[in-house]
Amino acid sequence: MEIITSVEEMSEWSRECALNLKSLGLVPTMGYLHEGHLSLVRKAISENDRVVASIFVNPTQFGRNEDFGVYPRDPGGDCAKLEASGVDALFTPDAETMYGAGYETFVEVQHLSLPLCGQTRPDHFRGVATVVLKLFNIIEPTRAYFGCKDYQQLQVIKKMVRDLNVRTEVIGCPTVREPDGLAMSSRNSYLSPSQRKRAVCLYEGLRKAQALFMTHETDVEKYIRVIAETISIESGTNPEYIRLVDPDTLRDLSAVHGPALAILAVRIGQTRLIDNALMS
Ligand code: PAF
């Protein structure tokens, strides 16, 4: 696996692929890789001639009081995992390379960035859209792979690609879960053993919403109540939002008469976890 840190070298490597008519898959990450990331890598390898993974803890998607400084990092372990998975190149630029002195250009997907996580993380999706577009421009991948756990992020990126005529195909991949159902996330490492046990309540709440959907329940409040009750059984859990939305527009549903997305963000102690369940 080649390890590339400069934009010029990365672009050159990708150009070589294109000249040889090789399709190129990209798995963008912020590192501290887990089985969720590796499932994206495996899908990318199965669908492309060459695969690049990127590791960049993107400062522009963190708010002032968020966890940028303490975001978990394991460059050695990540390299070993990517190499063992069969990735061809790792792009791992530093912040100066991505946002040099005088940097001032940002991409904003206006409406999709506003609700849900956008309410408490106002600049988050602008940072995500900007760094992902930069990666797409540097690497020019045929396809790029993102997890559905970050559902709003996936919708924002898909919209940006459509609106700005980017030629990369964006592929959403299923959430990978721990045996008890907790969605895999690098931030799970912040949880103490007792918080980790309690964190399964997010998944349990979503499962109860799914069970309600199977009964053809149309009342949105019933879904939200069953999720909220399941989460509040555990002590020290603090829901930031629990919503039932249209899976495409992310607008609140007034009643359930078709596909619905149950989506939530919950704080357990200081740790903010997100999850969702698509019901159709
Ligand atoms: O999902 C992530 O890990 C990040 O938001 C991404 C897409 C790599 C952009 O920094």
Side-chain angles (χ1 to χ4, degrees):
M1 180 176 77
E2 278 193 54
I3 299 181
I4 302 174
T5 55
S6 85
V7 168
E8 294 70 26
E9 207 189 323
M10 188 67 249
S11 297
E12 188 54 42
W13 192 95
S14 299
R15 211 166 301 128
E16 195 71 31
C17 274
L19 283 174
N20 290 312
L21 303 178
K22 304 287 186 199
S23 61
L24 180 55
L26 169 66
V27 181
T29 81
M30 298 205 300
Y32 210 69
L33 304 179
H34 50 66
E35 202 35 51
H37 296 113
L38 299 180
S39 73
L40 305 180
V41 166
R42 284 193 291 273
K43 184 155 172 69
I45 289 176
S46 73
E47 294 180 350
N48 299 276
D49 299 316
R50 298 277 183 273
V51 170
V52 179
S54 65
I55 296 181
F56 177 61
V57 184
N58 174 35
T60 65
Q61 70 188 73
F62 289 81
R64 255 180 228 290
N65 299 318
E66 293 182 356
D67 56 344
F68 174 68
V70 295
Y71 194 82
R73 290 163 169 87
D74 180 18
D78 289 346
C79 272
K81 286 176 188 162
L82 293 173
E83 179 114 55
S85 304
V87 164
D88 299 289
L90 166 62
F91 181 50
T92 176
D94 61 16
E96 179 61 27
T97 301
M98 294 297 273
Y99 302 107
Y103 189 89
E104 61 177 359
T105 305
F106 290 89
V107 183
E108 214 166 283
V109 179
Q110 290 188 322
H111 288 111
L112 281 176
S113 299
L114 286 178
L116 308 171
C117 292
Q119 290 289 294
T120 50
R121 308 189 75 193
D123 291 331
H124 173 66
F125 292 113
R126 167 180 120 125
V128 169
T130 302
V131 82
V132 169
L133 185 60
K134 283 173 72 69
L135 291 169
F136 285 2
N137 284 336
I138 295 164
I139 300 169
E140 295 190 65
T142 319
R143 302 179 187 88
Y145 297 81
F146 298 87
C148 284
K149 182 186 73 85
D150 298 296
Y151 191 93
Q152 190 174 9
Q153 165 173 285
L154 178 64
Q155 292 304 107
V156 164
I157 293 168
K158 282 185 171 169
K159 187 75 167 66
M160 174 193 72
V161 158
R162 261 200 315 276
D163 286 356
L164 297 181
N165 310 98
V166 179
R167 297 227 300 263
T168 298
E169 184 187 352
V170 173
I171 297 174
C173 304
T175 301
V176 177
R177 297 182 180 280
E178 300 286 356
D180 67 357
L182 177 66
M184 288 198 184
S185 162
S186 305
R187 289 188 168 101
N188 291 350
S189 65
Y190 297 150
L191 299 168
S192 70
S194 76
Q195 289 173 333
R196 167 64 190 81
K197 274 198 200 130
R198 281 181 269 147
V200 73
C201 67
L202 278 76
Y203 176 66
E204 284 170 352
L206 292 171
R207 292 274 297 181
K208 286 186 187 165
Q210 281 171 322
L212 211 48
F213 187 81
M214 299 307 284
T215 69
H216 307 287
E217 178 58 60
T218 58
D219 184 347
V220 169
E221 286 312 315
K222 284 196 182 160
Y223 287 85
I224 293 179
R225 203 176 317 128
V226 81
I227 299 171
E229 281 170 3
T230 309
I231 288 169
S232 67
I233 288 170
E234 301 292 345
S235 61
T237 55
N238 185 14
E240 190 177 279
Y241 65 78
I242 299 170
R243 303 286 261 281
L244 215 66
V245 299
D246 178 298
D248 296 323
T249 63
L250 304 184
R251 292 209 186 102
D252 284 328
L253 290 174
S254 52
V256 182
H257 293 298
L261 181 81
I263 186 163
L264 46 83
V266 178
R267 280 189 188 275
I268 302 193
Q270 296 298 308
T271 306
R272 183 177 181 278
L273 300 176
I274 58 172
D275 203 348
N276 65 82
L278 185 59
M279 303 179 288
S280 57

